[in-house]
Amino acid sequence: MTAEPDFLRTTRTSYDAIADGYASWTRDELASKSLERGLLTAFAELVAKDGGGLPLADVGCGTGRVTEYLGGLGLGLDVFGIDLSPQMVATARKEHPDLRFEEGSMLGLPLPDASLGGLLAWYSTIHVPDKELPCAFAEFHRVLAPGAHVQLGFQVGDEPFRLAEALGQEVSLVFHRRQPERMAALLREVGLEVRSVVWRERETDGPFPERTPQGFVLARRPIVSGGCEDGDTRTTG
């Protein structure tokens, strides 16, 4: 059996330690970010249109605040969350008892091939080291149905940031900051089509000031023209 990468263990343990406090701290964050809400809403509309009625997974969902937002848009989406941290999942279930949350790693998602109509990785790839990121993106490709979209959100930069304390708890977290075009290139390398690349400057005031600019990349798994892929019968034309 392959040993679990160290970053998974330390990330899981760190978020287990801060789960309850994290839910309180981030509860109003999305309400303060108009651009992010717009991007998430546009993504959800694409999933509703192109996802074939398949579920939408919020991978690295944390305490479920974005999962709840997507599910509350009135688009009829079957939205659920997956997170590495058992305590984050437990808190998400407590905070949003009407939604489904599961434990899992984006390096090996507990999902069948081509089973998702959409996948959100909203600030969840930030803890994945560079050498593991292609594996995560290959997993995204595997679980997305042809024509289904993936939306990434992440912090922009070139150097990682290390955090040893958060919300009064000892943690060991590495935040990998990346350039949007680099993220887009990695998605293309695993066979995904990039549809949008967005960069915005950091917020320096308000209740949630930021250390870095923010990046957002939208991509989709291609539809095979004139045929089918992984048993999916949708075609273009």
Side-chain angles (χ1 to χ4, degrees):
M1 180 179 296
T2 303
E4 180 180 70
D6 287 343
F7 87 91
L8 288 179
R9 176 180 52 80
T10 56
T11 301
R12 180 189 297 113
T13 301
S14 295
Y15 278 104
D16 278 350
I18 64 173
D20 288 339
Y22 190 85
S24 299
W25 178 57
T26 60
R27 184 165 287 121
D28 298 324
E29 183 184 21
L30 194 57
S32 71
K33 297 187 174 181
S34 299
L35 176 61
E36 280 81 346
R37 294 198 310 276
L39 289 170
L40 289 167
T41 299
F43 166 67
E45 290 175 352
L46 287 170
V47 175
K49 179 172 70 75
D50 299 329
L54 294 171
L56 164 58
D58 181 4
V59 176
C61 64
T63 55
R65 71 192 192 284
V66 181
T67 323
E68 180 189 42
Y69 178 80
L70 295 170
L73 289 172
L75 297 171
L77 297 173
D78 177 12
V79 185
F80 71 101
I82 298 175
D83 200 86
L84 181 67
S85 160
Q87 289 304 313
M88 283 285 190
V89 170
T91 301
R93 289 169 176 167
K94 181 174 64 177
E95 293 272 322
H96 314 289
D98 55 329
L99 295 174
R100 175 164 55 100
F101 297 95
E102 304 174 1
E103 292 178 35
S105 164
M106 67 177 64
L107 298 187
L109 291 166
L111 299 169
D113 294 354
S115 60
L116 294 181
L119 188 154
L120 178 70
W122 199 247
Y123 295 88
S124 53
T125 62
I126 59 176
H127 300 302
V128 180
D130 288 346
K131 68 178 182 179
E132 302 284 1
L133 202 55
C135 176
F137 287 169
E139 271 293 275
F140 294 177
H141 183 284
R142 179 185 69 80
V143 299
L144 286 170
H149 288 79
V150 54
Q151 175 72 60
L152 308 181
F154 51 94
Q155 297 150 346
V156 174
D158 298 304
E159 298 295 332
F161 172 73
R162 300 178 186 275
L163 195 65
E165 187 276 334
L167 302 176
Q169 301 293 325
E170 182 179 343
V171 298
S172 179
L173 292 171
V174 180
F175 296 78
H176 295 277
R177 300 162 172 172
R178 296 176 170 115
Q179 296 297 330
E181 288 299 341
R182 175 57 179 157
M183 296 290 272
L186 289 171
L187 291 170
R188 292 188 185 101
E189 286 175 10
V190 301
L192 294 165
E193 295 177 345
V194 174
R195 310 295 289 174
S196 175
V197 178
V198 176
W199 179 98
R200 76 157 173 81
E201 187 52 89
R202 68 189 183 105
E203 294 286 350
T204 58
D205 53 9
F208 298 98
E210 296 164 338
R211 293 186 176 96
T212 69
Q214 309 297 304
F216 311 94
V217 179
L218 175 72
R220 73 171 184 173
R221 181 169 174 175
I223 301 173
V224 177
S225 180
C228 61
E229 183 175 341
D230 290 342
D232 189 279
T233 57
R234 288 174 292 169
T235 60
T236 58

